[in-house]
Amino acid sequence: MKTIEIPHAGITAPALVLGLMRITEKSDDEVRELVRTARENGIDFHDHADVYGPEMHACERRFAEAMRLTPSERAELTIQTKAGIVKDGPYFDFSYEHLVESVNGSLEALGTDYIDILLLHRPDALVEPEEVARAFDELHAAGKVRHFGVSNHTPGQIELLKTVLTRPLVANQLQLSIPHAALVTQGLAANMAGLDQSISRDVGLLDYCRLHGITVQAWSPAQSGFFTGPFVGDRDNFADLNDVLDELAERHGVTPNGIATAWITRHPAQMQVVLGTTTPSRVAEAAAGADIVLSRAEWYQLTRAAGHRVP
């Protein structure tokens, strides 16, 4: 399994992350098989969030109940969780009280003494950076959280936090797939009048993260949009893309899902891919794809086939 270095964290991590947001209805054996398959393919990095599941901390608790990790087994994993979304609204809450309460709830649900990485889960328009800094400092000093990051944050939002944070932000979790790729493809079409792709919606977010040593974690790598369904196999909407996926899959001896993963891991930003699937075979397919190094011609072929303009 391809690995990356997470700057500022001193962590050597796999290029793939196992996302555990849909496991509440899974049996103990099913959860264990999913985690075991991930481990067999070099994936020991697990992504959680307090809001995953039908009630707060449900998926975190289901994971802990199924795995029953010993302290030594826990030490072999990197466990990341997220806080800041209030499901009842829905709305966002980055207050000191909410963040500390959420982390304490996650620690109890996960059955662990510490979280490796805590992410702020989507931006809070009412954020008071001093409250975030206070929460981060207290959680780190208590040994409850080792590293911190954000999710879906813009460069400006990150800079605002950094005015008071004493701990570095090590990751930014962002949606990215071959069809949902404005993060990457906007720069290809810079300064082209009349083209939607040329509009900058994230103010150079990918380049910003690279410049500041913030690891991009790509979520929904198999989705065509914001939870609009997978694009692999969807020939009604992505016929050209699936033709190329099939061609490259045969050439490299992996599945189309593997090639979809390879498109992200080929990027020199050293991104991580967050797998949301609960199907063990798809985890293995993605892991095989992460070890494929697409040529520039192949990478751009996929980009064009997804409908992005390559001038």
Side-chain angles (χ1 to χ4, degrees):
M1 163 59 62
K2 178 181 179 183
T3 60
I4 67 168
E5 295 292 328
I6 299 183
H8 312 304
I11 296 175
T12 299
L16 302 187
V17 177
L18 183 63
L20 294 160
M21 66 181 297
R22 299 182 180 90
I23 62 170
T24 53
E25 301 304 317
K26 298 293 182 181
S27 68
D28 286 358
D29 286 343
E30 288 172 324
V31 174
R32 292 180 192 129
E33 181 185 5
L34 180 63
V35 174
R36 181 172 60 251
T37 300
R39 291 297 301 273
E40 289 172 350
N41 286 276
I43 305 169
D44 57 10
F45 195 123
H46 295 170
D47 178 68
H48 295 269
D50 58 359
V51 294
Y52 290 168
E55 67 251 350
M56 293 296 287
H57 306 290
C59 284
E60 295 171 323
R61 184 166 287 107
R62 180 83 278 272
F63 171 80
E65 291 170 347
M67 297 304 299
R68 300 187 183 279
L69 298 172
T70 65
S72 61
E73 290 171 334
R74 164 64 184 95
E76 293 175 352
L77 301 178
T78 299
I79 293 181
Q80 170 177 281
T81 196
K82 299 181 284 293
I85 295 179
V86 179
K87 295 178 75 171
D88 294 341
Y91 61 91
F92 308 98
D93 187 349
F94 287 1
S95 67
Y96 163 83
E97 290 81 9
H98 180 81
L99 293 177
V100 171
E101 179 184 9
S102 174
V103 168
N104 287 332
S106 290
L107 291 170
E108 186 276 328
L110 288 164
T112 185
D113 294 330
Y114 66 96
I115 291 164
D116 293 286
I117 303 175
L118 173 70
L119 304 184
L120 297 176
H121 204 174
R122 291 194 170 276
D124 176 10
L126 302 180
V127 63
E128 297 181 58
E130 293 79 7
E131 295 231 345
V132 175
R134 179 184 169 204
F136 282 9
D137 286 346
E138 182 174 302
L139 291 167
H140 184 265
K144 295 180 178 181
V145 179
R146 295 184 172 179
H147 307 286
F148 300 90
V150 295
S151 172
N152 305 291
H153 276 57
T154 68
Q157 289 165 336
I158 294 172
E159 284 295 313
L160 179 63
L161 290 171
K162 287 170 63 176
T163 60
V164 291
L165 292 182
T166 61
R167 307 294 307 171
L169 296 173
V170 304
N172 192 0
Q173 197 170 107
L174 303 159
Q175 186 171 8
L176 178 64
S177 68
I178 306 176
H180 189 284
L183 186 69
V184 174
T185 61
Q186 184 278 320
L188 286 173
N191 199 36
M192 294 186 69
L195 182 66
D196 181 78
Q197 185 181 325
S198 70
I199 300 171
S200 177
R201 294 178 171 84
D202 58 24
V203 200
L205 180 53
L206 180 57
D207 293 333
Y208 173 89
C209 288
R210 294 179 73 182
L211 284 167
H212 293 271
I214 298 173
T215 298
V216 169
Q217 298 178 345
W219 60 272
S220 284
Q223 296 284 320
S224 58
F226 187 65
F227 299 112
T228 55
F231 59 87
V232 176
D234 180 2
R235 293 191 171 274
D236 290 337
N237 297 297
F238 299 99
D240 290 346
L241 177 56
N242 276 278
D243 285 344
V244 177
L245 287 168
D246 290 344
E247 173 192 335
L248 296 183
E250 183 175 0
R251 182 183 304 168
H252 289 283
V254 296
T255 66
N257 277 314
I259 296 298
T261 301
W263 185 85
I264 299 174
T265 57
R266 171 62 179 84
H267 196 281
Q270 295 286 291
M271 293 182 272
Q272 289 182 296
V273 180
V274 182
L275 305 175
T277 183
T278 57
T279 304
S281 61
R282 291 183 181 172
V283 172
E285 290 174 7
D291 288 331
I292 299 297
V293 180
L294 297 173
S295 69
R296 273 184 162 80
E298 291 170 333
W299 190 90
Y300 279 109
Q301 183 183 11
L302 286 163
T303 303
R304 290 194 305 271
H308 306 297
R309 177 70 66 88
V310 180

